[in-house]
Amino acid sequence: MKIAIIGAGGREHAILKKIASPEHQLFAIPGNAGMDAHCVNLHVSDTKGIVAFARQTQLDFIIVAPDNPLVAGLVDVLEDAGFACFGPRKSGAQLEGSKIFAKEFMQRHHIPTAPHRAFEDLQEASAFLAKSHFPVVIKADGLAFGKGVRVISGLEEGLAYLKALMVDHLFGESGCRVLIEECLEGKEASVLAFCDGLTLKPMLSAMDYKRALEGNQGLNTGGMGCIAPNPYFTPQIAKECQEKIFEPTLRGIQAEKLDFRGCLYFGLMLTAQGVKVIEYNCRFGDPEAQTLLPLLQSDLLAIMQACARQELAKQEVRFAPLHACCVVLASEGYPQDFEIGHVLSYPKELDICFAGVKHSAQGLCNAGGRVLSITSSAPTLQQARALSYTRIAQISLKNGYYRHDIGQL
Ligand SMILES: Nc1ncnc2c1ncn2[C@@H]1O[C@H](COP(=O)(O)OP(=O)(O)O)[C@@H](O)[C@H]1O
Ligand SMILES: [Mg+2]
């Protein structure tokens, strides 16, 4: 088969590794220099270019991994042109593309989430804020590179953030509408699930590390590491999620005729009052994909095709009873300014998911904030963690840095 993945990061590399086989020809749009695939130099939002490439190459299957093209409706265009895809159509991707849509969806289907109000008028939002008990959480409605959410501890800070979103358009259109919601307390957990619109099959739970520095300090990043399963996600909590969150979400998707055939990501907060949904994503997380997929024992491509055909009920989704620990190597300075062009050296046999890398005369060099990730699996979290740190220490990059506390409880 000729299979293409849309995207360029470690998540996409992890997916490619899992579906690689001598029977398949793999393409990545645009991909990165560390991938064992034919990289096609097109931007993920170049819908016309992607459709033209798909036609010219006669692709058999297309995996759309990143949020932007999913929310923009790339799958709609590709499917309408006759291509089989993994990834929700625009209607399903709204669950991530608009946080207000997602909140209202949760309300309609009685799915537990933090109480909230939505605003499109600065005066009304400011007046509401003035009467709020702090902390509150303010969220830009639309996609904002994972940076649109702030926990606000006082009125002045909140008013300034509302102005930044609604007047100064810090995140463009995405911040024209905002959510103000109650600040929840608890441990966070992520559960990703395969979904074909008729059936939803959860994967292992995961715990990600978003902050740049050890001890969850520093700025928010795309993700500096991840472990699975999440140690706080007990079987009892899993049952609660199944009944109160996963099943009602699937019924809601059906009732509202959202077309969701892809990976549905539940961002959860385990509060003393029960599990609440923080957000939905309409795709694999990065580095959740790098963490979870190595533990998947069933055939990923078969699962993805079953999702596309709405035959997931018949498809096995089985994970190894192991623990995984993923550590991300980033360029010093990320998520702000960093230098690029430093050469990477690493043992050739090391299993690496590459992200921000490009070719140079001396081999691969860093070209982005998150450069690569290493995932290990073992019978215990401690063993998986120890293995990942032994492995990542074998990689040298002049301005590389990574957190040393991934998986340390
Ligand atoms: N209601 C809430 N209470 C407490 N923390 C929250 C709440 N909503 C979001 N957060 C925190 O902000 C982070 C980002 O929010 P989220 O809704 O997941 O947006 P995004 O991932 O798109 O930036 C969450 O992982 C969580 O740590
Ligand atoms: Mg999130």
Side-chain angles (χ1 to χ4, degrees):
M1 277 175 67
K2 291 181 182 170
I3 306 166
I5 189 161
I6 313 295
R11 163 183 59 201
E12 287 77 7
H13 196 185
I15 294 170
L16 278 176
K17 279 174 186 273
K18 205 67 192 176
I19 62 179
S21 130
E23 298 150 44
H24 304 316
Q25 220 181 324
L26 301 180
F27 300 86
I29 307 174
N32 71 59
M35 290 175 173
D36 206 0
H38 180 75
C39 292
V40 182
N41 190 16
L42 289 169
H43 195 273
V44 299
S45 63
D46 181 359
T47 305
K48 272 195 186 147
I50 293 171
V51 174
F53 175 78
R55 285 214 170 97
Q56 172 201 326
T57 314
Q58 298 188 306
L59 292 175
D60 297 300
F61 196 62
I62 304 169
I63 301 160
V64 183
D67 52 4
N68 273 301
L70 287 167
V71 170
L74 178 59
V75 171
D76 303 52
V77 177
L78 286 170
E79 284 190 336
D80 294 349
F83 297 98
C85 297
F86 179 82
R89 289 172 74 106
K90 200 172 181 172
S91 64
Q94 290 176 92
L95 287 171
E96 173 165 9
S98 167
K99 289 191 188 290
I100 295 176
F101 176 86
K103 273 286 188 186
E104 291 172 350
F105 173 92
M106 287 184 247
Q107 269 184 321
R108 286 193 290 275
H109 302 287
H110 311 289
I111 296 162
T113 186
H116 77 283
R117 289 278 304 271
F119 297 96
E120 47 190 76
D121 178 83
L122 177 67
Q123 263 64 46
E124 284 174 29
S126 305
F128 178 78
L129 202 63
K131 291 183 291 176
S132 300
H133 296 285
F134 293 93
V136 297
V137 180
I138 299 182
K139 302 187 174 187
D141 177 50
L143 296 180
F145 322 99
K147 291 180 186 148
V149 172
R150 278 209 204 152
V151 178
I152 302 289
S153 43
L155 182 59
E156 220 169 296
E157 183 191 0
L159 292 175
Y161 190 50
L162 286 177
K163 178 172 172 288
L165 291 177
M166 303 177 87
V167 181
D168 306 333
H169 300 298
L170 181 60
F171 298 111
E173 280 281 303
S174 290
C176 288
R177 300 201 300 156
V178 299
L179 276 175
I180 303 182
E181 61 180 67
E182 193 176 284
C183 190
L184 303 172
E185 267 180 65
K187 296 286 182 195
E188 285 184 50
S190 307
V191 176
L192 286 68
F194 292 106
C195 178
D196 69 354
L198 304 173
T199 307
L200 185 141
K201 295 197 174 181
M203 303 180 216
L204 293 177
S205 60
M207 179 161 117
D208 65 356
Y209 293 74
K210 285 271 177 240
R211 299 295 197 91
L213 306 176
E214 273 136 46
N216 295 323
Q217 304 294 309
L219 296 172
N220 255 321
T221 69
M224 294 297 292
C226 182
I227 58 171
N230 184 311
Y232 303 103
F233 199 81
T234 61
Q236 196 190 337
I237 289 177
K239 185 164 177 283
E240 180 185 338
C241 288
Q242 187 62 33
E243 289 166 7
K244 298 203 168 137
I245 295 174
F246 305 157
E247 284 167 14
T249 297
L250 181 61
R251 286 197 297 269
I253 285 172
Q254 292 165 353
E256 301 194 14
K257 299 195 165 42
L258 306 182
D259 194 332
F260 204 108
R261 290 166 293 137
C263 175
L264 181 55
Y265 176 128
F266 297 83
L268 306 169
M269 184 82 88
L270 315 181
T271 79
Q273 290 76 41
V275 183
K276 309 221 166 157
V277 177
I278 299 178
E279 66 160 351
Y280 293 115
N281 290 333
C282 66
R283 52 173 170 92
F284 278 99
D286 183 332
E288 288 85 344
Q290 295 94 305
T291 315
L292 293 165
L293 292 179
L295 298 182
L296 179 65
Q297 291 176 322
S298 312
D299 181 342
L300 178 61
L301 182 60
I303 296 172
M304 289 179 154
Q305 289 180 299
C307 286
R309 297 183 188 129
Q310 293 201 292
E311 291 171 357
L312 181 60
K314 292 189 281 188
Q315 175 63 46
E316 172 197 70
V317 175
R318 186 165 41 91
F319 283 84
L322 297 173
H323 291 259
C325 175
C326 171
V327 182
V328 171
L329 177 75
S331 305
E332 188 70 54
Y334 171 75
Q336 291 174 300
D337 294 342
F338 50 83
E339 285 178 16
I340 64 168
H342 295 293
V343 177
L344 276 159
S345 71
Y346 53 90
K348 286 288 164 269
E349 67 282 4
L350 210 56
D351 186 11
I352 299 176
C353 284
F354 286 103
V357 294
K358 63 176 184 190
H359 290 296
S360 78
Q362 290 81 39
L364 288 181
C365 62
N366 74 319
R370 291 190 292 173
V371 180
L372 57 83
S373 62
I374 290 283
T375 300
S376 307
S377 57
T380 70
L381 173 60
Q382 286 67 29
Q383 289 164 336
R385 190 177 128 67
L387 270 172
S388 280
Y389 280 110
T390 307
R391 290 177 176 154
I392 205 163
Q394 297 176 290
I395 302 175
S396 92
L397 171 66
K398 185 179 164 211
N399 62 339
Y401 87 96
Y402 54 88
R403 279 180 59 162
H404 290 78
D405 63 346
I406 307 301
Q408 199 173 65
L409 299 177

